[in-house]
Amino acid sequence: MSVLSLIVFLPLLVAAALAAVPAVGDRAARWVFLAPTLVEVVLVGVVWAGYDTPAPGELAYEQQVPWIPGVGTSYHVGVDGLSLPLVAMTTVIFAAAAVYALRERDRPRLQAALFLFLEGVSLGVFVSADLIIFFVFFDLSIVAMYFCIAGWGHGDRARSALKFFLYTFLGSLSLLAGFIGLYVAADPHTFDMVELAQHPALAGGTAGGLVLAAIVLGLAVKTPTFPVHTWLPPAHTDAPAIGSAVLAGVLLKMGTYGFVRIAMPMLPDDWRAWAPVIIVIGVVSVLYGALVALAQRNLKRMIAYTSVNHMGYIVLAVGIAGVVSTSTRQAREVAVTGAVTQMVSHALITGALFLLAGVMGERTGSYDMDEYGGLAGPAPRYAGLFAVAAFASLGLPAFSGFIAEFQIFTGSIAVAPVTAVALLGILLTAGLFLRAVQRVFTGETRGRSVGFGDLRPSELWAAGSLMALALLIGVLPGPLLDVIEPASRTVVSLVAR
C-alpha cells in the first residue's frame, strides 16, 4: 500500500471500527476521533517533506491498480502541486474539528465515525487520478455531509440537509454525464485523468461545449457560485460547528479543485471559448456574495455568503487562465497560483470563523448579531480571536488571504483590466466584517452577551491553530508557493495548447 492509500484508508478503517463497536465509550470515542486525524497530519508532513515536483504529465507518489479494465478505469492516485496543498489542508481542518469535538456530548462515537469517513473520502477526491474514482469519493462526501447536517444540526436541519443533498447530488450527476462524454470521445476510451489531460479528447465544437457545460455545472454547484449557491446558506446555518467548518473548508474546494484538475486541462479549447462566461460568473459571485452578506443579521449566514464571495475570486482567476495571449502567460500563472492559494487560505480562515460562530450558537442558541453587544467584556479571548479571523478574511496583509487575493487580482487585472470591478468585493467584505465586530463585541455588554462564557481550551486550540497557520502562510508563503507554482505553469500551458 502506498503512503497516499494509507492516508486515504486509515480514517476509513478507524471509522468502520468505531461504527462496528458500540461498546466504545463517549470519552474514548472523542480521543479515537482525534488520534487518527493527528496521524494524518504527520503522514502528510512526511509526504510534503519528501515531495519532488513531478515532470509535466506525471504525479508524485503515484499508484495504479486495475479496477474495472473493461471500461478503462483503475484505482489511480497521485499528487502534484495542485492537490498536495489541498490534501494537507484537509488533514488540518479535520484535526481542528476533532479537537473542537473533544467537548461533544451528542453521540460522539457515531459522530467520530461519520467525520473520519468524511475525511477519508475527501482525501480520496484530492488524490484521485481517475475520473470514476474521483466521482465515487465525490458522491460519498455528499452522503456523509447529509447525515452530518441531518443528524447533528439544529434549526430546520432536515430541510437544509435535504436541500444540500438534492442540489449537490444533481450537480454530481451532471458531472458524471460530463465524465462519460470525455470517456466516449477518448481514443482509446479511458477515465484516466493523466491521459485525458495530456491528450484532450474533444477540441471545441458542439460536443466539447456540451461536455464542458455539464462538468462546469456540476462543479459550480459544489463550489458554489451564483446562481446555483442557494443550498449553501441553510446548510451552513443549520449544520453543527464542525460540519460547517468541514463544509466550507474542504467540500467547497472539491468544486474549485475540479476546475483546475479536470475542466481546464482536459477541455482546453472549450475552456478558452467559455472563459468570458466563467469570468463574469466569478465577478458576479464576488459582488453578489459580499452584498448579500452585508444584509445578514445571522452570523452564520453572513459567513456563508462571504464564502460565495471568496469562491468567486477563485472562479475569476481560473477564468482568466482561458484568456490566452503570448504577452499574458506570466500573469495567468500568477492568477492560477492565487486561486490554489485561496483554496487553502479560505479553508483555514473560514473554518476558524465557523468554529467560532458555533461557540456563539452553542452558548446561547442564537446567531442573531442584534441580540449581542459588548461581548468583548465577558469573553475577551473569544472577541480577540474572532476579530483576528475577521481581519484575515477581509484580506489584511500578514495573513494568507492577502497573499491569495493579491495574486488573483494582480494576474486578473493584468490580463483583463475590467476585472478590477471585483475589487469592490474586498471593500464590501471589509465593511461587513468591521460592522459585525463592532455590533457584537464593542459597546456596553447587553442582551445575550451577559454571562457569556469565554473560549474553552478545546475551542481555543481548534480555531487558534487554523489562524496560526493562516498567519504563518501570510508571513512565510514560500514553502506553499514553491509547491503550487510549477503546477500552475503546467495548467496554464495545457489550457493554451
Side-chain angles (χ1 to χ4, degrees), residues 384-400:
L385 192 54
F386 190 94
V388 169
F391 280 109
S393 187
L394 60 85
L396 193 73
F399 288 99
S400 56

Side-chain angles (χ1 to χ4, degrees), residues 5-76:
S5 295
L6 177 62
I7 289 172
V8 171
F9 288 104
L10 174 63
L12 294 178
L13 291 173
V14 178
L18 272 174
V21 184
V24 175
D26 289 353
R27 179 180 173 81
R30 290 190 285 269
W31 287 101
V32 171
F33 182 12
L34 177 60
T37 62
L38 295 179
V39 171
E40 292 285 278
V41 173
V42 173
L43 287 173
V44 171
V46 171
V47 168
W48 194 297
Y51 175 78
D52 286 323
T53 299
E58 297 180 7
L59 296 171
Y61 298 101
E62 198 168 6
Q63 181 185 14
Q64 187 167 17
V65 179
W67 184 36
I68 313 176
V71 293
T73 187
S74 62
Y75 174 77
H76 188 187

